[in-house]
Amino acid sequence: MKAGSSASGFPVPDHDHASCLTEVIVRAAVAFERQGLRLTDLRRNVLEEVAASHKAVGAYEVLERLASKGGKRLAPISIYRALDTLVAAGVVHRLESRNAFFACHVVHGGNRRQIVLACEQCGAVAEVSRPNVFDDIQTAAGAVGFRMSQVLVEVSGTCAACSRSERPDK
Amino acid sequence: MKAGSSASGFPVPDHDHASCLTEVIVRAAVAFERQGLRLTDLRRNVLEEVAASHKAVGAYEVLERLASKGGKRLAPISIYRALDTLVAAGVVHRLESRNAFFACHVVHGGNRRQIVLACEQCGAVAEVSRPNVFDDIQTAAGAVGFRMSQVLVEVSGTCAACSRSERPDK
DNA sequence: ACGGTTATGTTATATGTTTACATCGCATCG
DNA sequence: CGATGCGATGTAAACATATAACATAACCGT
């Protein structure tokens, strides 16, 4: 297993985020290329801010961080446009339950079928795969004649790391 | 089966909404009673607007509709407070993926474990039960040491009625 | 260099949500 | 009866999230 990866989807304690970030950018470059999109400076900057942590960040938070770095302050719409493109390219996802965005660290095929776990304590977000769940949802929808175009499975709770630090015993 | 009900969760074509609405109000009265809450005029008015259709409506839409009826325009916070209470009582749910609210037409126990289906065409929302899905999600979360507190399963797509009217053949 | 397409800038506004504090109605206690 | 307490609502303002409309600039193939 490479440094920075984790079977749980959450970063491991010693996790090498620099290489992790690099991987995200590379995957983005590939995805943009394949879809005939341009990975511009703005888009890369936004992606870097989103991927700076494994947490979900709001659009305005990205805005603030870029402003405090780049000096010039962008308009919200610029951030949203960049985010839209990143989401369309599949390298960033939106955490609907929090109106926030997080970088994708897994490779999915055409349609995304991942359970999203979001820690209420530390804000970390991870995606885990569980095809059955999506098959069952598909079946349940189909049973009432509903044609599914997009599914959202978001779980709020406490990640393993936060559970441990809450209760340092054991 | 009673008038107004449907196995699919979506209203049937001939669906008697008046009695459907009455049922919602009655369930609300019971739920409020049981929880020691007061079903005030404001709360009932808001509930009636939300339950006026089987669609998800935004807080401001409720505000507008009440304003065009009652004459006096309420402050947004009043709507939100009423909605909060209705959500807490379990008679209204929030559709996270659209920042909107919809009336509940099923009876759930303590914790809500329902798949929410939202039609992109007509805006109708339905809840369907599929306990396996939630058990599997729980398992998947547990497998990576994640303690789950809340799950969200929202499906976007096209409901049966809209599918039929799209393609009138067959 | 030209012309179409894509990306970004600029300004303004729509939509969604909350904070803080004042007031009111009502039940209960003394 | 008046005081007290509490839940509900009113009022004003701010904060947070998201998009519309239109102008300009960068890029790309020819």
Side-chain angles (χ1 to χ4, degrees):
Chain A
M1 188 185 297
K2 291 206 206 75
S5 302
S6 152
S8 79
F10 288 103
V12 295
D14 64 349
H15 147 265
D16 170 10
H17 196 65
S19 72
C20 174
L21 184 51
T22 304
E23 281 174 30
V24 169
I25 304 285
V26 170
R27 270 201 303 277
V30 171
F32 270 67
E33 172 65 30
R34 255 214 330 264
Q35 303 184 44
L37 296 167
R38 281 181 257 165
L39 185 51
T40 62
D41 283 356
L42 174 59
R43 288 167 180 174
R44 191 173 43 251
N45 290 340
V46 169
L47 175 56
E48 282 172 4
E49 288 310 325
V50 172
S53 73
H54 287 253
K55 307 183 182 187
V57 297
Y60 280 73
E61 200 175 331
V62 172
L63 180 55
E64 289 307 322
R65 291 208 226 139
L66 286 181
S68 69
K69 285 187 183 181
K72 64 180 291 191
R73 162 166 299 255
L74 293 163
I77 186 71
S78 295
I79 305 294
Y80 279 102
R81 285 196 283 228
L83 286 170
D84 281 351
T85 308
L86 292 166
V87 168
V91 298
V92 162
H93 304 308
R94 189 189 163 89
L95 187 61
E96 297 288 347
S97 54
R98 302 200 191 159
N99 298 329
F101 302 84
F102 63 96
C104 173
H105 294 278
V106 305
V107 185
H108 352 73
N111 46 358
R112 189 160 78 100
R113 288 158 59 100
Q114 305 281 324
I115 296 172
V116 178
L117 305 177
C119 179
E120 286 158 356
Q121 260 64 48
C122 68
V125 174
E127 296 179 76
V128 303
S129 186
R130 197 45 85 124
N132 278 1
V133 166
F134 292 85
D135 291 341
D136 287 353
I137 292 171
Q138 173 98 259
T139 302
V144 299
F146 191 91
R147 277 191 295 136
M148 192 165 117
S149 75
Q150 249 207 343
V151 195
L152 188 68
V153 179
E154 292 180 1
V155 183
S156 285
T158 308
C159 72
C162 287
S163 281
R164 276 193 298 274
S165 56
E166 260 175 26
R167 309 181 297 171
D169 50 301
K170 187 187 178 215
Chain B
M1 188 185 300
K2 291 206 208 74
S5 301
S6 154
S8 79
F10 287 103
V12 296
D14 64 349
H15 147 264
D16 170 11
H17 196 64
S19 73
C20 173
L21 184 52
T22 304
E23 282 174 32
V24 170
I25 304 286
V26 170
R27 269 202 302 277
V30 173
F32 271 68
E33 172 65 31
R34 253 214 331 262
Q35 303 184 42
L37 296 167
R38 279 181 262 168
L39 185 50
T40 61
D41 284 357
L42 174 58
R43 289 168 180 173
R44 191 173 44 251
N45 290 340
V46 169
L47 174 57
E48 281 172 5
E49 289 309 325
V50 172
S53 72
H54 287 253
K55 308 184 181 184
V57 298
Y60 274 70
E61 203 174 330
V62 173
L63 180 55
E64 290 306 324
R65 291 208 226 139
L66 286 182
S68 69
K69 286 188 181 178
K72 64 179 290 191
R73 162 164 300 256
L74 293 164
I77 185 67
S78 295
I79 305 296
Y80 279 102
R81 285 197 281 227
L83 286 170
D84 282 351
T85 308
L86 292 165
V87 167
V91 298
V92 163
H93 304 309
R94 189 189 164 90
L95 186 61
E96 298 288 347
S97 55
R98 302 200 192 158
N99 299 328
F101 301 83
F102 63 96
C104 173
H105 294 277
V106 305
V107 185
H108 354 70
N111 46 357
R112 189 161 78 99
R113 288 157 59 100
Q114 306 281 322
I115 297 171
V116 178
L117 305 176
C119 180
E120 286 158 355
Q121 260 64 46
C122 68
V125 174
E127 296 178 77
V128 303
S129 186
R130 196 46 85 122
N132 278 1
V133 167
F134 292 84
D135 293 339
D136 287 355
I137 292 170
Q138 173 98 260
T139 302
V144 298
F146 191 91
R147 276 191 298 135
M148 188 165 122
S149 75
Q150 250 208 342
V151 196
L152 188 68
V153 179
E154 292 180 2
V155 183
S156 285
T158 309
C159 73
C162 288
S163 282
R164 278 192 297 273
S165 56
E166 261 176 23
R167 313 181 294 173
D169 51 299
K170 182 175 184 227

